[in-house]
PDB file of all heavy atoms in Angstrom:
ATOM      1  N   ASP A   1      -6.389  -9.839  -2.797  1.00  0.00           N
ATOM      2  CA  ASP A   1      -6.987 -10.706  -3.804  1.00  0.00           C
ATOM      3  C   ASP A   1      -6.143 -10.768  -5.072  1.00  0.00           C
ATOM      4  O   ASP A   1      -6.107 -11.790  -5.755  1.00  0.00           O
ATOM      5  CB  ASP A   1      -8.390 -10.202  -4.173  1.00  0.00           C
ATOM      6  CG  ASP A   1      -9.317 -10.141  -2.971  1.00  0.00           C
ATOM      7  OD1 ASP A   1      -9.073 -10.872  -2.004  1.00  0.00           O
ATOM      8  OD2 ASP A   1     -10.269  -9.368  -3.023  1.00  0.00           O
ATOM      9  N   ILE A   2      -5.495  -9.661  -5.428  1.00  0.00           N
ATOM     10  CA  ILE A   2      -4.749  -9.576  -6.673  1.00  0.00           C
ATOM     11  C   ILE A   2      -3.268  -9.537  -6.329  1.00  0.00           C
ATOM     12  O   ILE A   2      -2.831  -8.724  -5.533  1.00  0.00           O
ATOM     13  CB  ILE A   2      -5.148  -8.312  -7.465  1.00  0.00           C
ATOM     14  CG1 ILE A   2      -6.657  -8.314  -7.740  1.00  0.00           C
ATOM     15  CG2 ILE A   2      -4.372  -8.198  -8.758  1.00  0.00           C
ATOM     16  CD1 ILE A   2      -7.194  -7.002  -8.236  1.00  0.00           C
ATOM     17  N   GLY A   3      -2.487 -10.387  -6.949  1.00  0.00           N
ATOM     18  CA  GLY A   3      -1.053 -10.399  -6.657  1.00  0.00           C
ATOM     19  C   GLY A   3      -0.787 -10.997  -5.291  1.00  0.00           C
ATOM     20  O   GLY A   3      -0.236 -10.354  -4.403  1.00  0.00           O
ATOM     21  N   MET A   4      -1.189 -12.254  -5.097  1.00  0.00           N
ATOM     22  CA  MET A   4      -1.151 -12.864  -3.775  1.00  0.00           C
ATOM     23  C   MET A   4       0.261 -13.011  -3.227  1.00  0.00           C
ATOM     24  O   MET A   4       0.455 -13.151  -2.028  1.00  0.00           O
ATOM     25  CB  MET A   4      -1.829 -14.237  -3.839  1.00  0.00           C
ATOM     26  CG  MET A   4      -3.331 -14.162  -4.084  1.00  0.00           C
ATOM     27  SD  MET A   4      -4.222 -13.360  -2.748  1.00  0.00           S
ATOM     28  CE  MET A   4      -4.033 -14.585  -1.462  1.00  0.00           C
ATOM     29  N   GLY A   5       1.285 -12.993  -4.087  1.00  0.00           N
ATOM     30  CA  GLY A   5       2.633 -13.154  -3.601  1.00  0.00           C
ATOM     31  C   GLY A   5       3.250 -11.899  -3.042  1.00  0.00           C
ATOM     32  O   GLY A   5       4.409 -11.918  -2.619  1.00  0.00           O
ATOM     33  N   MET A   6       2.506 -10.828  -3.008  1.00  0.00           N
ATOM     34  CA  MET A   6       3.036  -9.543  -2.593  1.00  0.00           C
ATOM     35  C   MET A   6       2.474  -9.155  -1.221  1.00  0.00           C
ATOM     36  O   MET A   6       1.264  -9.227  -1.000  1.00  0.00           O
ATOM     37  CB  MET A   6       2.658  -8.487  -3.650  1.00  0.00           C
ATOM     38  CG  MET A   6       3.437  -7.208  -3.578  1.00  0.00           C
ATOM     39  SD  MET A   6       3.059  -6.129  -5.005  1.00  0.00           S
ATOM     40  CE  MET A   6       4.042  -6.921  -6.283  1.00  0.00           C
ATOM     41  N   ASP A   7       3.344  -8.732  -0.322  1.00  0.00           N
ATOM     42  CA  ASP A   7       2.916  -8.289   1.010  1.00  0.00           C
ATOM     43  C   ASP A   7       2.562  -6.807   0.921  1.00  0.00           C
ATOM     44  O   ASP A   7       3.386  -5.925   1.176  1.00  0.00           O
ATOM     45  CB  ASP A   7       4.033  -8.526   2.026  1.00  0.00           C
ATOM     46  CG  ASP A   7       3.584  -8.280   3.464  1.00  0.00           C
ATOM     47  OD1 ASP A   7       2.522  -7.645   3.653  1.00  0.00           O
ATOM     48  OD2 ASP A   7       4.291  -8.715   4.383  1.00  0.00           O
ATOM     49  N   VAL A   8       1.325  -6.539   0.558  1.00  0.00           N
ATOM     50  CA  VAL A   8       0.893  -5.164   0.302  1.00  0.00           C
ATOM     51  C   VAL A   8       0.946  -4.331   1.573  1.00  0.00           C
ATOM     52  O   VAL A   8       1.316  -3.152   1.548  1.00  0.00           O
ATOM     53  CB  VAL A   8      -0.516  -5.162  -0.320  1.00  0.00           C
ATOM     54  CG1 VAL A   8      -1.012  -3.733  -0.540  1.00  0.00           C
ATOM     55  CG2 VAL A   8      -0.513  -5.929  -1.625  1.00  0.00           C
ATOM     56  N   GLU A   9       0.571  -4.933   2.694  1.00  0.00           N
ATOM     57  CA  GLU A   9       0.582  -4.173   3.939  1.00  0.00           C
ATOM     58  C   GLU A   9       1.993  -3.683   4.274  1.00  0.00           C
ATOM     59  O   GLU A   9       2.186  -2.531   4.677  1.00  0.00           O
ATOM     60  CB  GLU A   9       0.033  -5.028   5.090  1.00  0.00           C
ATOM     61  CG  GLU A   9      -1.461  -5.287   5.012  1.00  0.00           C
ATOM     62  CD  GLU A   9      -1.826  -6.407   4.049  1.00  0.00           C
ATOM     63  OE1 GLU A   9      -0.900  -7.047   3.507  1.00  0.00           O
ATOM     64  OE2 GLU A   9      -3.034  -6.630   3.825  1.00  0.00           O
ATOM     65  N   ALA A  10       2.997  -4.541   4.085  1.00  0.00           N
ATOM     66  CA  ALA A  10       4.379  -4.135   4.345  1.00  0.00           C
ATOM     67  C   ALA A  10       4.821  -3.052   3.364  1.00  0.00           C
ATOM     68  O   ALA A  10       5.521  -2.102   3.739  1.00  0.00           O
ATOM     69  CB  ALA A  10       5.308  -5.347   4.259  1.00  0.00           C
ATOM     70  N   LEU A  11       4.425  -3.193   2.117  1.00  0.00           N
ATOM     71  CA  LEU A  11       4.777  -2.179   1.123  1.00  0.00           C
ATOM     72  C   LEU A  11       4.155  -0.840   1.455  1.00  0.00           C
ATOM     73  O   LEU A  11       4.769   0.215   1.255  1.00  0.00           O
ATOM     74  CB  LEU A  11       4.327  -2.647  -0.266  1.00  0.00           C
ATOM     75  CG  LEU A  11       5.117  -3.815  -0.848  1.00  0.00           C
ATOM     76  CD1 LEU A  11       4.393  -4.423  -2.036  1.00  0.00           C
ATOM     77  CD2 LEU A  11       6.512  -3.359  -1.247  1.00  0.00           C
ATOM     78  N   ARG A  12       2.955  -0.870   1.982  1.00  0.00           N
ATOM     79  CA  ARG A  12       2.290   0.385   2.355  1.00  0.00           C
ATOM     80  C   ARG A  12       2.955   1.022   3.582  1.00  0.00           C
ATOM     81  O   ARG A  12       3.086   2.240   3.662  1.00  0.00           O
ATOM     82  CB  ARG A  12       0.802   0.138   2.605  1.00  0.00           C
ATOM     83  CG  ARG A  12       0.053  -0.170   1.306  1.00  0.00           C
ATOM     84  CD  ARG A  12      -1.379  -0.565   1.564  1.00  0.00           C
ATOM     85  NE  ARG A  12      -2.168   0.538   2.093  1.00  0.00           N
ATOM     86  CZ  ARG A  12      -2.697   1.514   1.356  1.00  0.00           C
ATOM     87  NH1 ARG A  12      -2.501   1.543   0.049  1.00  0.00           N
ATOM     88  NH2 ARG A  12      -3.425   2.462   1.920  1.00  0.00           N
ATOM     89  N   ARG A  13       3.409   0.193   4.510  1.00  0.00           N
ATOM     90  CA  ARG A  13       4.135   0.749   5.653  1.00  0.00           C
ATOM     91  C   ARG A  13       5.429   1.406   5.202  1.00  0.00           C
ATOM     92  O   ARG A  13       5.905   2.366   5.827  1.00  0.00           O
ATOM     93  CB  ARG A  13       4.425  -0.353   6.684  1.00  0.00           C
ATOM     94  CG  ARG A  13       3.205  -0.834   7.444  1.00  0.00           C
ATOM     95  CD  ARG A  13       3.596  -1.681   8.647  1.00  0.00           C
ATOM     96  NE  ARG A  13       4.305  -2.907   8.259  1.00  0.00           N
ATOM     97  CZ  ARG A  13       3.705  -4.059   7.973  1.00  0.00           C
ATOM     98  NH1 ARG A  13       2.385  -4.152   8.031  1.00  0.00           N
ATOM     99  NH2 ARG A  13       4.417  -5.131   7.660  1.00  0.00           N
ATOM    100  N   ASP A  14       5.996   0.922   4.106  1.00  0.00           N
ATOM    101  CA  ASP A  14       7.228   1.473   3.560  1.00  0.00           C
ATOM    102  C   ASP A  14       6.973   2.635   2.599  1.00  0.00           C
ATOM    103  O   ASP A  14       7.904   3.169   2.012  1.00  0.00           O
ATOM    104  CB  ASP A  14       7.999   0.367   2.823  1.00  0.00           C
ATOM    105  CG  ASP A  14       9.382   0.808   2.376  1.00  0.00           C
ATOM    106  OD1 ASP A  14      10.147   1.307   3.229  1.00  0.00           O
ATOM    107  OD2 ASP A  14       9.680   0.675   1.172  1.00  0.00           O
ATOM    108  N   THR A  15       5.713   3.042   2.487  1.00  0.00           N
ATOM    109  CA  THR A  15       5.330   4.122   1.576  1.00  0.00           C
ATOM    110  C   THR A  15       4.584   5.178   2.364  1.00  0.00           C
ATOM    111  O   THR A  15       3.370   5.075   2.569  1.00  0.00           O
ATOM    112  CB  THR A  15       4.447   3.577   0.429  1.00  0.00           C
ATOM    113  OG1 THR A  15       5.106   2.483  -0.213  1.00  0.00           O
ATOM    114  CG2 THR A  15       4.143   4.667  -0.594  1.00  0.00           C
ATOM    115  N   PRO A  16       5.266   6.210   2.854  1.00  0.00           N
ATOM    116  CA  PRO A  16       4.635   7.175   3.763  1.00  0.00           C
ATOM    117  C   PRO A  16       3.361   7.805   3.219  1.00  0.00           C
ATOM    118  O   PRO A  16       2.407   8.047   3.966  1.00  0.00           O
ATOM    119  CB  PRO A  16       5.733   8.233   3.968  1.00  0.00           C
ATOM    120  CG  PRO A  16       7.007   7.509   3.714  1.00  0.00           C
ATOM    121  CD  PRO A  16       6.701   6.499   2.656  1.00  0.00           C
ATOM    122  N   GLY A  17       3.312   8.047   1.908  1.00  0.00           N
ATOM    123  CA  GLY A  17       2.163   8.742   1.351  1.00  0.00           C
ATOM    124  C   GLY A  17       0.854   7.998   1.447  1.00  0.00           C
ATOM    125  O   GLY A  17      -0.219   8.611   1.376  1.00  0.00           O
ATOM    126  N   THR A  18       0.893   6.678   1.616  1.00  0.00           N
ATOM    127  CA  THR A  18      -0.351   5.924   1.696  1.00  0.00           C
ATOM    128  C   THR A  18      -1.126   6.218   2.978  1.00  0.00           C
ATOM    129  O   THR A  18      -2.314   5.916   3.060  1.00  0.00           O
ATOM    130  CB  THR A  18      -0.090   4.411   1.607  1.00  0.00           C
ATOM    131  OG1 THR A  18       0.752   4.005   2.696  1.00  0.00           O
ATOM    132  CG2 THR A  18       0.580   4.052   0.289  1.00  0.00           C
ATOM    133  N   ALA A  19      -0.454   6.800   3.966  1.00  0.00           N
ATOM    134  CA  ALA A  19      -1.146   7.140   5.221  1.00  0.00           C
ATOM    135  C   ALA A  19      -2.010   8.381   5.078  1.00  0.00           C
ATOM    136  O   ALA A  19      -2.902   8.616   5.903  1.00  0.00           O
ATOM    137  CB  ALA A  19      -0.122   7.358   6.339  1.00  0.00           C
ATOM    138  N   ASN A  20      -1.767   9.167   4.035  1.00  0.00           N
ATOM    139  CA  ASN A  20      -2.428  10.464   3.917  1.00  0.00           C
ATOM    140  C   ASN A  20      -3.485  10.542   2.824  1.00  0.00           C
ATOM    141  O   ASN A  20      -4.452  11.302   2.961  1.00  0.00           O
ATOM    142  CB  ASN A  20      -1.370  11.544   3.629  1.00  0.00           C
ATOM    143  CG  ASN A  20      -0.262  11.564   4.643  1.00  0.00           C
ATOM    144  OD1 ASN A  20      -0.518  11.513   5.841  1.00  0.00           O
ATOM    145  ND2 ASN A  20       0.978  11.606   4.170  1.00  0.00           N
ATOM    146  N   ARG A  21      -3.299   9.794   1.750  1.00  0.00           N
ATOM    147  CA  ARG A  21      -4.174   9.902   0.600  1.00  0.00           C
ATOM    148  C   ARG A  21      -4.375   8.519  -0.026  1.00  0.00           C
ATOM    149  O   ARG A  21      -3.593   7.604   0.189  1.00  0.00           O
ATOM    150  CB  ARG A  21      -3.554  10.804  -0.483  1.00  0.00           C
ATOM    151  CG  ARG A  21      -3.055  12.140  -0.015  1.00  0.00           C
ATOM    152  CD  ARG A  21      -4.153  13.158   0.144  1.00  0.00           C
ATOM    153  NE  ARG A  21      -4.687  13.562  -1.160  1.00  0.00           N
ATOM    154  CZ  ARG A  21      -5.623  14.503  -1.297  1.00  0.00           C
ATOM    155  NH1 ARG A  21      -6.123  15.102  -0.238  1.00  0.00           N
ATOM    156  NH2 ARG A  21      -6.069  14.836  -2.495  1.00  0.00           N
ATOM    157  N   MET A  22      -5.442   8.424  -0.825  1.00  0.00           N
ATOM    158  CA  MET A  22      -5.561   7.300  -1.754  1.00  0.00           C
ATOM    159  C   MET A  22      -4.927   7.762  -3.048  1.00  0.00           C
ATOM    160  O   MET A  22      -5.488   8.607  -3.755  1.00  0.00           O
ATOM    161  CB  MET A  22      -7.032   6.926  -1.962  1.00  0.00           C
ATOM    162  CG  MET A  22      -7.579   6.017  -0.905  1.00  0.00           C
ATOM    163  SD  MET A  22      -9.297   5.580  -1.222  1.00  0.00           S
ATOM    164  CE  MET A  22     -10.094   7.079  -0.656  1.00  0.00           C
ATOM    165  N   HIS A  23      -3.772   7.236  -3.351  1.00  0.00           N
ATOM    166  CA  HIS A  23      -3.003   7.755  -4.477  1.00  0.00           C
ATOM    167  C   HIS A  23      -3.307   6.942  -5.728  1.00  0.00           C
ATOM    168  O   HIS A  23      -2.756   5.854  -5.933  1.00  0.00           O
ATOM    169  CB  HIS A  23      -1.503   7.712  -4.173  1.00  0.00           C
ATOM    170  CG  HIS A  23      -0.690   8.436  -5.193  1.00  0.00           C
ATOM    171  ND1 HIS A  23      -0.726   9.799  -5.340  1.00  0.00           N
ATOM    172  CD2 HIS A  23       0.162   7.978  -6.146  1.00  0.00           C
ATOM    173  CE1 HIS A  23       0.082  10.170  -6.323  1.00  0.00           C
ATOM    174  NE2 HIS A  23       0.618   9.074  -6.833  1.00  0.00           N
ATOM    175  N   LEU A  24      -4.180   7.468  -6.581  1.00  0.00           N
ATOM    176  CA  LEU A  24      -4.528   6.854  -7.846  1.00  0.00           C
ATOM    177  C   LEU A  24      -4.029   7.741  -8.987  1.00  0.00           C
ATOM    178  O   LEU A  24      -4.719   7.954  -9.980  1.00  0.00           O
ATOM    179  CB  LEU A  24      -6.049   6.631  -7.943  1.00  0.00           C
ATOM    180  CG  LEU A  24      -6.650   5.725  -6.861  1.00  0.00           C
ATOM    181  CD1 LEU A  24      -8.149   5.580  -7.063  1.00  0.00           C
ATOM    182  CD2 LEU A  24      -5.971   4.356  -6.846  1.00  0.00           C
TER     183      LEU A  24
END
Protein backbone atom coordinates (compact mmCIF):
# COMPACT_ATOMS: atom_id res chain seq x y z
CA ASP A 1 0.00 0.00 0.00
CA ILE A 2 2.84 2.40 0.82
CA GLY A 3 5.61 3.02 -1.68
CA MET A 4 3.95 1.31 -4.63
CA GLY A 5 7.04 1.58 -6.82
CA MET A 6 9.04 -0.69 -4.59
CA ASP A 7 9.11 -4.50 -4.89
CA VAL A 8 9.00 -5.22 -1.17
CA GLU A 9 8.77 -8.97 -1.60
CA ALA A 10 12.00 -9.03 -3.63
CA LEU A 11 13.71 -6.79 -1.10
CA ARG A 12 12.69 -9.12 1.69
CA ARG A 13 14.04 -12.13 -0.19
CA ASP A 14 17.32 -10.22 -0.40
CA THR A 15 17.25 -9.58 3.36
CA PRO A 16 17.89 -12.82 5.28
CA GLY A 17 16.84 -11.41 8.64
CA THR A 18 13.24 -10.87 7.58
CA ALA A 19 12.71 -14.64 7.62
CA ASN A 20 13.42 -14.83 11.34
CA ARG A 21 12.06 -11.72 13.01
CA MET A 22 9.87 -8.67 12.56
CA HIS A 23 12.64 -6.12 12.64
CA LEU A 24 11.31 -2.81 13.96
